[in-house]
PDB file of all heavy atoms in Angstrom:
ATOM      1  N   ASP A 100     148.186  57.151  98.727  1.00 97.00           N
ATOM      2  CA  ASP A 100     148.817  56.093  97.797  1.00 97.00           C
ATOM      3  C   ASP A 100     148.967  56.720  96.378  1.00 97.00           C
ATOM      4  O   ASP A 100     148.058  57.262  95.902  1.00 97.00           O
ATOM      5  CB  ASP A 100     147.842  54.842  97.574  1.00 97.00           C
ATOM      6  CG  ASP A 100     147.563  54.135  99.022  1.00 97.00           C
ATOM      7  OD1 ASP A 100     148.260  54.229  99.969  1.00 97.00           O
ATOM      8  OD2 ASP A 100     146.463  53.379  98.946  1.00 97.00           O
ATOM      9  N   TYR A 203     135.549  54.997  96.769  1.00 63.00           N
ATOM     10  CA  TYR A 203     136.963  54.716  96.535  1.00 63.00           C
ATOM     11  C   TYR A 203     137.360  55.845  95.476  1.00 63.00           C
ATOM     12  O   TYR A 203     137.594  55.542  94.418  1.00 63.00           O
ATOM     13  CB  TYR A 203     137.177  53.418  95.909  1.00 63.00           C
ATOM     14  CG  TYR A 203     136.666  52.193  96.737  1.00 63.00           C
ATOM     15  CD1 TYR A 203     135.263  51.861  96.656  1.00 63.00           C
ATOM     16  CD2 TYR A 203     137.579  51.515  97.426  1.00 63.00           C
ATOM     17  CE1 TYR A 203     134.911  50.751  97.385  1.00 63.00           C
ATOM     18  CE2 TYR A 203     137.064  50.384  98.131  1.00 63.00           C
ATOM     19  CZ  TYR A 203     135.760  50.049  98.076  1.00 63.00           C
ATOM     20  OH  TYR A 203     135.198  48.953  98.826  1.00 63.00           O
ATOM     21  N   GLY A 204     137.370  57.079  95.883  1.00 73.00           N
ATOM     22  CA  GLY A 204     137.729  58.189  94.921  1.00 73.00           C
ATOM     23  C   GLY A 204     139.198  58.037  94.592  1.00 73.00           C
ATOM     24  O   GLY A 204     140.003  57.568  95.422  1.00 73.00           O
ATOM     25  N   THR A 205     139.553  58.403  93.449  1.00 93.00           N
ATOM     26  CA  THR A 205     140.985  58.287  93.079  1.00 93.00           C
ATOM     27  C   THR A 205     141.102  59.210  91.713  1.00 93.00           C
ATOM     28  O   THR A 205     140.101  59.499  91.109  1.00 93.00           O
ATOM     29  CB  THR A 205     141.320  56.911  92.605  1.00 93.00           C
ATOM     30  OG1 THR A 205     141.145  55.967  93.703  1.00 93.00           O
ATOM     31  CG2 THR A 205     142.745  56.631  92.076  1.00 93.00           C
ATOM     32  N   THR A 223     145.606  58.634  95.150  1.00 95.00           N
ATOM     33  CA  THR A 223     144.463  58.516  95.831  1.00 95.00           C
ATOM     34  C   THR A 223     144.529  58.783  97.300  1.00 95.00           C
ATOM     35  O   THR A 223     145.652  58.627  97.969  1.00 95.00           O
ATOM     36  CB  THR A 223     143.773  57.178  95.672  1.00 95.00           C
ATOM     37  OG1 THR A 223     142.479  57.181  96.152  1.00 95.00           O
ATOM     38  CG2 THR A 223     144.524  56.096  96.306  1.00 95.00           C
ATOM     39  N   GLY A 225     142.507  56.832  98.946  1.00 92.00           N
ATOM     40  CA  GLY A 225     142.027  55.485  99.106  1.00 92.00           C
ATOM     41  C   GLY A 225     140.510  55.342  99.671  1.00 92.00           C
ATOM     42  O   GLY A 225     139.824  56.253  99.767  1.00 92.00           O
ATOM     43  N   LEU A 226     140.346  54.163 100.105  1.00 91.00           N
ATOM     44  CA  LEU A 226     139.035  53.922 100.719  1.00 91.00           C
ATOM     45  C   LEU A 226     138.670  54.866 101.908  1.00 91.00           C
ATOM     46  O   LEU A 226     139.604  54.716 102.850  1.00 91.00           O
ATOM     47  CB  LEU A 226     138.843  52.575 101.114  1.00 91.00           C
ATOM     48  CG  LEU A 226     137.619  52.016 101.978  1.00 91.00           C
ATOM     49  CD1 LEU A 226     136.489  52.186 101.153  1.00 91.00           C
ATOM     50  CD2 LEU A 226     137.795  50.508 102.374  1.00 91.00           C
ATOM     51  N   ARG A 233     145.888  50.196 105.409  1.00 95.00           N
ATOM     52  CA  ARG A 233     145.176  49.505 104.227  1.00 95.00           C
ATOM     53  C   ARG A 233     145.633  50.223 102.906  1.00 95.00           C
ATOM     54  O   ARG A 233     145.885  51.410 102.798  1.00 95.00           O
ATOM     55  CB  ARG A 233     143.655  49.731 104.247  1.00 95.00           C
ATOM     56  CG  ARG A 233     143.037  49.151 103.071  1.00 95.00           C
ATOM     57  CD  ARG A 233     142.584  50.228 102.006  1.00 95.00           C
ATOM     58  NE  ARG A 233     141.825  49.749 100.990  1.00 95.00           N
ATOM     59  CZ  ARG A 233     141.579  50.406  99.790  1.00 95.00           C
ATOM     60  NH1 ARG A 233     142.134  51.586  99.673  1.00 95.00           N
ATOM     61  NH2 ARG A 233     140.813  49.920  98.923  1.00 95.00           N
ATOM     62  N   GLY A 235     145.258  50.165  98.665  1.00 96.00           N
ATOM     63  CA  GLY A 235     144.356  49.794  97.662  1.00 96.00           C
ATOM     64  C   GLY A 235     145.203  49.454  96.473  1.00 96.00           C
ATOM     65  O   GLY A 235     146.477  49.089  96.518  1.00 96.00           O
ATOM     66  N   ASP A 236     144.648  49.462  95.318  1.00 98.00           N
ATOM     67  CA  ASP A 236     145.253  49.323  94.069  1.00 98.00           C
ATOM     68  C   ASP A 236     146.097  50.406  93.501  1.00 98.00           C
ATOM     69  O   ASP A 236     146.997  50.108  92.649  1.00 98.00           O
ATOM     70  CB  ASP A 236     144.182  48.963  93.007  1.00 98.00           C
ATOM     71  CG  ASP A 236     143.205  50.001  92.702  1.00 98.00           C
ATOM     72  OD1 ASP A 236     142.836  50.739  93.677  1.00 98.00           O
ATOM     73  OD2 ASP A 236     142.753  50.229  91.623  1.00 98.00           O
ATOM     74  N   SER A 237     145.853  51.531  93.969  1.00 97.00           N
ATOM     75  CA  SER A 237     146.452  52.763  93.317  1.00 97.00           C
ATOM     76  C   SER A 237     147.964  52.843  93.311  1.00 97.00           C
ATOM     77  O   SER A 237     148.563  53.233  92.248  1.00 97.00           O
ATOM     78  CB  SER A 237     145.861  54.068  93.848  1.00 97.00           C
ATOM     79  OG  SER A 237     144.567  54.097  93.722  1.00 97.00           O
ATOM     80  N   THR A 256     140.066  53.134  88.782  1.00 97.00           N
ATOM     81  CA  THR A 256     139.502  53.823  89.939  1.00 97.00           C
ATOM     82  C   THR A 256     138.391  52.939  90.477  1.00 97.00           C
ATOM     83  O   THR A 256     137.944  52.053  89.653  1.00 97.00           O
ATOM     84  CB  THR A 256     138.846  55.202  89.773  1.00 97.00           C
ATOM     85  OG1 THR A 256     137.818  55.077  88.731  1.00 97.00           O
ATOM     86  CG2 THR A 256     139.946  56.145  89.128  1.00 97.00           C
ATOM     87  N   GLY A 257     138.101  52.971  91.605  1.00 96.00           N
ATOM     88  CA  GLY A 257     137.003  52.135  92.171  1.00 96.00           C
ATOM     89  C   GLY A 257     137.489  51.331  93.259  1.00 96.00           C
ATOM     90  O   GLY A 257     138.626  51.441  93.744  1.00 96.00           O
ATOM     91  N   ARG A 258     136.766  50.085  93.462  1.00 96.00           N
ATOM     92  CA  ARG A 258     137.230  49.168  94.581  1.00 96.00           C
ATOM     93  C   ARG A 258     138.444  48.589  94.455  1.00 96.00           C
ATOM     94  O   ARG A 258     138.560  47.515  93.545  1.00 96.00           O
ATOM     95  CB  ARG A 258     135.987  48.210  94.783  1.00 96.00           C
ATOM     96  CG  ARG A 258     136.323  47.117  95.912  1.00 96.00           C
ATOM     97  CD  ARG A 258     135.201  46.234  96.225  1.00 96.00           C
ATOM     98  NE  ARG A 258     135.650  45.091  96.797  1.00 96.00           N
ATOM     99  CZ  ARG A 258     135.797  45.083  98.311  1.00 96.00           C
ATOM    100  NH1 ARG A 258     135.436  46.141  99.017  1.00 96.00           N
ATOM    101  NH2 ARG A 258     136.362  44.035  98.840  1.00 96.00           N
ATOM    102  N   GLY A 259     139.523  48.955  95.163  1.00 96.00           N
ATOM    103  CA  GLY A 259     140.951  48.665  94.791  1.00 96.00           C
ATOM    104  C   GLY A 259     141.112  47.188  95.108  1.00 96.00           C
ATOM    105  O   GLY A 259     141.899  46.420  94.400  1.00 96.00           O
ATOM    106  N   GLU A 260     140.358  46.615  96.159  1.00 96.00           N
ATOM    107  CA  GLU A 260     140.632  45.267  96.409  1.00 96.00           C
ATOM    108  C   GLU A 260     140.304  44.245  95.209  1.00 96.00           C
ATOM    109  O   GLU A 260     140.953  43.316  95.028  1.00 96.00           O
ATOM    110  CB  GLU A 260     139.716  44.764  97.696  1.00 96.00           C
ATOM    111  CG  GLU A 260     140.282  45.288  98.997  1.00 96.00           C
ATOM    112  CD  GLU A 260     140.071  46.796  99.305  1.00 96.00           C
ATOM    113  OE1 GLU A 260     139.474  47.463  98.446  1.00 96.00           O
ATOM    114  OE2 GLU A 260     140.553  47.300 100.297  1.00 96.00           O
TER     115      GLU A 260
HETATM  116  N1  LIG B 401     140.937  52.640  93.772  1.00 84.19           N
HETATM  117  C1  LIG B 401     141.371  53.344  95.068  1.00 84.19           C
HETATM  118  C2  LIG B 401     141.429  52.397  96.281  1.00 84.19           C
HETATM  119  O1  LIG B 401     140.839  51.514  96.324  1.00 84.19           O
HETATM  120  O2  LIG B 401     142.135  52.765  97.204  1.00 84.19           O
END
Side-chain angles (χ1 to χ4, degrees):
D100 300 336
Y203 304 82
T205 300
T223 191
L226 170 66
R233 177 264 186 189
D236 58 328
S237 301
T256 61
R258 181 178 161 80
E260 283 76 4

